């Protein structure tokens, strides 16, 4: 009996430690209702795929930085256009999504996805690179940069130049597929010239005090909350959202003279499988209701 009690106690302790290890993991959105909910942090957890992958009436590839808007945005669209109830959305990095459009598929773990998008959204620069596949583009939201730090800001980070300190470990979006990386590099130049950019993107990368993300900037809040980074440049909306949901981070504003503004553009795929749904969703993105949702999550009109 004592052995059984001891074994059960060890399981409880192990599970508690595991829960602590993953307590800040996504998905941070509200998962859709289902007869079986099987999300295991760190093992079976797919935060960037939303909704109905089988027989969707609309498929949207969203730039990953807008994941926090999805619950409200898709619910509002379904209410405005009740004929569309089966919707599938991806919020992966825009560069990865562009490769998926060009290649026709993506594999995540053991799952291969071949759903072609009806609508693709990304920053203006990435949209220009993808125009061969798009038509009827429209700008629907804007965003600026901010710095995310732990709630108590132990390194006393006040500005972008502080990120260049040798004692500050920075989580930085990977330029290979993250559009925000170019925006951050431009802000580094505004704040500290080419010297700061070189420090952040070359010297500190080599020393290991700039850590490049492997997925997208969703990793930065996790790096900070799990103690793997002291700070990270992110979209303002991302730091704003983490504070909104009560995670232990703090938003440090960047003055306009050192900041950059990103414009988000949506385009309909020329070969959209659901052409009318694509048109309706594009029109919804520029509606007053959609703008209210984006503003609520920290974006600008």
């Amino acid at each position: 009996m004592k052995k059984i009690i001891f074994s059960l106690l060890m399981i409880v302790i192990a599970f508690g430690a595991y829960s602590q290890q993953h307590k800040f993991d996504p998905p941070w959105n509200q998962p859709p209702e289902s007869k079986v909910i099987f999300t295991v942090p760190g093992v079976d957890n797919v935060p960037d795929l939303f909704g109905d992958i089988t027989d969707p009436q609309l498929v949207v590839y969203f730039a990953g930085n807008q994941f926090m808007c999805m619950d409200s945005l898709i619910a509002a669209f379904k209410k405005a256009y009740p004929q569309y109830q089966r919707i599938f959305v991806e919020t992966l990095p825009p560069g990865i999504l562009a490769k998926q459009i060009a290649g026709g598929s993506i594999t995540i773990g053991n799952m291969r996805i071949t759903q072609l998008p009806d609508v693709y959204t990304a920053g203006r620069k990435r949209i220009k690179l993808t125009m061969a596949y798009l038509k009827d583009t429209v700008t629907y939201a804007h965003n600026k940069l901010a710095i995310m730090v732990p709630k108590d800001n132990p390194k006393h980070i006040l500005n972008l130049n502080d990120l260049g300190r040798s004692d500050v470990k920075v989580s930085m979006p990977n330029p290979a597929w993250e559009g925000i990386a170019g925006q951050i590099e431009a802000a580094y130049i505004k704040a500290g010239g080419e010297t700061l950019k070189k420090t952040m993107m070359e010297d500190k990368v080599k020393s290991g005090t700039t850590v490049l993300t492997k997925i997208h900037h969703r990793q930065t809040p996790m790096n900070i909350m799990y103690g793997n980074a002291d700070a990270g440049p992110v979209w303002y909306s991302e730091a704003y959202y983490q504070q909104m949901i009560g995670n232990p981070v703090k938003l440090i504003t960047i003055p306009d003279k050192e900041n950059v503004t990103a414009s988000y553009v949506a385009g309909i795929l020329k070969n959209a499988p659901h052409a009318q749904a694509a048109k309706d969703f594009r029109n919804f993105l520029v509606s007053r209701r959609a703008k209210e949702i984006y503003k609520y999550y920290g974006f600008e009109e």
Side-chain angles (χ1 to χ4, degrees):
M1 184 65 178
K2 288 182 178 180
K3 288 184 178 180
I4 293 174
I5 293 173
F6 179 78
S7 297
L8 289 173
L9 180 61
M10 290 299 99
I11 290 172
V12 170
I13 291 172
F15 182 77
Y18 180 83
S19 298
Q20 283 291 106
Q21 182 182 359
H22 294 283
K23 66 180 179 179
F24 298 121
D25 281 18
W28 296 308
N29 302 74
Q30 179 63 44
E33 293 183 6
S34 182
K35 293 296 183 182
V36 179
I37 300 294
F38 186 73
T39 300
V40 183
V43 180
D44 283 307
N45 181 13
V46 190
D48 291 308
L49 306 181
F50 295 77
D52 295 294
I53 196 169
T54 304
D55 192 28
Q57 297 167 294
L58 171 69
V59 177
V60 184
Y61 287 4
F62 264 102
N65 65 312
Q66 297 164 61
F67 70 85
M68 70 285 291
C69 301
M70 291 303 103
D71 294 349
S72 301
L73 194 71
I74 299 304
F77 175 70
K78 288 180 177 180
K79 184 176 180 180
Y81 295 85
Q83 65 268 40
Y84 307 118
Q85 294 299 310
R86 299 185 60 79
I87 299 173
F88 177 62
V89 174
E90 294 186 18
T91 57
L92 293 164
I96 299 297
L97 294 174
K99 289 182 179 180
Q100 189 178 349
I101 290 172
S105 65
I106 189 171
T107 296
I108 302 175
N110 293 317
M111 178 174 60
R112 183 169 183 261
I113 300 171
T114 57
Q115 296 286 9
L116 296 175
D118 300 299
V119 177
Y120 171 65
T121 88
R124 190 178 300 281
K125 183 177 180 181
R126 174 60 63 179
I127 287 290
K128 288 180 179 179
L129 295 174
T130 320
M131 278 305 298
Y133 301 95
L134 303 174
K135 64 179 182 179
D136 300 335
T137 58
V138 63
T139 300
Y140 62 92
H142 300 86
N143 211 347
K144 290 186 177 180
L145 299 173
I147 302 170
M148 186 186 295
V149 297
K151 190 173 183 178
D152 56 354
N153 194 10
K155 294 287 185 172
H156 305 291
I157 307 298
L158 300 177
N159 52 52
L160 288 171
N161 281 290
D162 283 342
L163 302 184
R165 290 169 14 205
S166 60
D167 67 317
V168 176
K169 192 170 186 178
V170 178
S171 178
M172 173 72 196
N174 197 317
W177 46 70
E178 283 280 55
I180 185 178
Q183 307 275 8
I184 294 170
E185 289 176 339
Y188 286 153
I189 293 172
K190 285 186 176 184
E194 291 288 346
T195 300
L196 180 60
K197 178 185 172 183
K198 179 179 181 298
T199 297
M200 298 304 305
M201 302 307 298
E202 296 181 29
D203 302 340
K204 285 174 69 78
V205 170
K206 290 178 182 177
S207 70
T209 54
T210 288
V211 179
L212 298 179
T213 60
K214 296 179 180 179
I215 306 171
H216 63 45
H217 42 86
R218 184 195 291 276
Q219 288 180 278
T220 289
M222 295 176 68
N223 284 338
I224 291 170
M225 290 187 286
Y226 287 126
N228 299 320
D230 302 308
V234 294
W235 293 119
Y236 180 95
S237 57
E238 191 153 23
Y240 184 85
Y241 175 70
Q242 292 298 329
Q243 288 190 154
M244 177 192 294
I245 63 176
N247 277 334
V249 300
K250 182 178 181 180
L251 185 158
I252 306 296
T253 59
I254 298 173
D256 287 344
K257 66 180 180 180
E258 297 175 1
N259 217 322
V260 297
T261 298
S263 299
Y264 299 123
V265 180
I268 296 175
L269 273 291
K270 291 179 180 178
N271 61 343
H274 312 97
Q276 186 58 51
K279 183 178 179 180
D280 290 339
F281 190 76
R282 172 195 174 278
N283 292 340
F284 174 75
L285 278 177
V286 295
S287 70
R288 175 47 49 191
R289 180 64 186 125
K291 290 182 181 298
E292 288 172 352
I293 291 170
Y294 274 92
K295 186 176 181 179
Y296 176 81
Y297 288 104
F299 291 80
E300 300 178 352
E301 287 194 20

